Amino acid sequence: MLVSDVAIPVVSVQPVVLAAPDRGVDLRVRVSAPVGGSGLPIVVFSHGFGSSSLCYGPLVDFWAAHGFVVIQPTHLDSRTVGLPPDASRRPQLWRTRVGDMRLVLDRLDLLEAAVPGLAGRLDRSRIAAAGHSFGGQTAGILLGLRVLDPVTGNAEDLADSRIKAGVLLATAGRGGDDLTPFAAENLPWLKGPDFAHMTAPALVVAGDHDESPLSVRGPEWLADPYHLSPGPKSLLTLFEAEHSLGGIAGYEARETTDENPERVALIQRVTLAYLRHALGIDDADWAEAKNGTPMGRIESK
């Protein structure tokens, strides 16, 4: 029996508010955890541009129901925050997101205490970062991806050794001439990513019908985080999937253009299997997942 065949009830608490004086507004966080079990590994999940910690239930609920504590910060670009379009903080949104993820890790004691019955049940040696779209870049930075800061012109190492593995879903690829004029003008943090230092293990998930308005290269651009980074990495390419990958952003999310419950179920199982493999919990489900599926293919290096 696969681990993914056995689910247990989940409790979610939100918002847990973390004081962040230098951020302009305190950080709101959602924590989801299984009601039972101990030695629970952790996933810190970064949402896509404009989304929030209330989204991505299909993944968050599934991971939590199968033994993970999932922590979701709401970044400043979320529509729920209402950051003005001309806010001076916008060019640094990419950096603030990374700071949000670090703050979550720094305040694990507080987050643990906010969930009834969770105290003493976390395994802090097994932490992964995951994210969709802009959130995939955020997670990637914690794994070693370097971004050319549009303000300073530097590409700093912002990797966090507490993060042992990652899952990057529909994540931006190479910058420069690969960007559309819109992306180059409005999303300056995409101009010069350097994947060469992203050495931590990661699963990259990309749809072969994801025609991003940010790149002139088409769907293959979303596979760059796999091809341009060193191993160990794996790539799940989903056939006919668009940017929402079948509906991972929410059970009834309006931005889903390719609704496909079977595809979402596949992503649930494969990502869970990968997280358990990459964090040293169990390899059986990942070995089975790599045997392939008619809905996609997995390759590794």
Side-chain angles (χ1 to χ4, degrees):
M1 178 183 290
L2 296 178
V3 171
S4 55
D5 291 332
V6 182
I8 58 177
V10 171
V11 60
S12 292
V13 175
Q14 64 84 27
V16 183
V17 180
L18 302 181
D22 297 333
R23 189 174 178 268
V25 59
D26 288 340
L27 178 63
R28 290 178 292 132
V29 180
R30 183 185 185 192
V31 184
S32 301
V35 297
S38 60
L40 303 176
I42 300 165
V43 177
V44 186
F45 189 92
S46 179
H47 62 72
F49 190 92
S51 190
S52 77
S53 60
L54 300 179
C55 300
Y56 298 95
L59 289 182
V60 172
D61 294 346
F62 188 83
W63 291 340
H66 293 89
F68 281 78
V69 173
V70 187
I71 305 174
Q72 298 171 266
T74 292
H75 301 301
L76 283 179
D77 56 85
S78 172
R79 291 183 292 270
T80 65
V81 174
L83 192 68
D86 59 349
S88 60
R89 287 174 286 174
R90 282 198 172 273
Q92 291 292 81
L93 283 175
W94 72 273
R95 183 183 289 274
T96 305
R97 283 171 147 263
V98 176
D100 294 344
M101 303 284 271
R102 287 181 178 276
L103 183 59
V104 162
L105 297 178
D106 292 342
R107 305 282 178 83
L108 282 178
D109 286 345
L110 189 155
L111 295 170
E112 181 182 31
V115 180
L118 186 58
R121 296 169 55 212
L122 299 182
D123 183 349
R124 303 187 187 205
S125 70
R126 290 187 166 114
I127 303 177
H132 175 239
S133 195
F134 194 7
Q137 184 191 69
T138 304
I141 292 170
L142 295 169
L143 302 172
L145 167 65
R146 297 184 184 180
V147 170
L148 190 65
D149 190 309
V151 176
T152 68
N154 298 323
E156 299 176 52
D157 178 9
L158 298 178
D160 194 308
S161 61
R162 292 172 290 186
I163 302 294
K164 306 304 182 185
V167 175
L168 312 184
L169 302 135
T171 301
R174 191 166 51 194
D177 293 339
D178 288 359
L179 299 181
T180 60
F182 170 84
E185 180 178 352
N186 295 283
L187 307 173
W189 50 80
L190 295 182
K191 289 184 177 180
D194 181 359
F195 295 94
H197 304 279
M198 197 172 76
T199 57
L203 171 66
V204 176
V205 181
D208 70 0
H209 280 42
D210 189 349
E211 296 286 350
S212 174
L214 306 181
S215 175
V216 299
R217 280 178 47 214
E220 67 175 29
W221 184 63
L222 286 303
D224 279 356
Y226 171 77
H227 293 296
L228 300 181
S229 64
K233 298 290 186 297
S234 293
L235 171 66
L236 169 61
T237 302
L238 295 161
F239 304 147
E240 301 183 7
E242 299 176 12
H243 197 60
S244 290
L245 303 175
I248 64 168
Y251 295 106
E252 297 179 354
R254 289 181 298 173
E255 55 262 45
T256 299
T257 58
D258 61 335
E259 185 174 2
N260 189 316
E262 292 78 15
R263 184 180 298 130
V264 172
L266 172 65
I267 296 170
Q268 289 172 330
R269 294 193 302 272
V270 172
T271 55
L272 176 67
Y274 180 80
L275 287 167
R276 289 178 56 82
H277 157 74
L279 294 177
I281 300 169
D282 183 80
D283 290 328
D285 284 1
W286 180 240
E288 182 167 335
K290 290 195 295 182
N291 289 333
T293 168
M295 301 180 67
R297 66 175 181 271
I298 295 176
E299 54 194 286
S300 299
K301 63 180 183 180

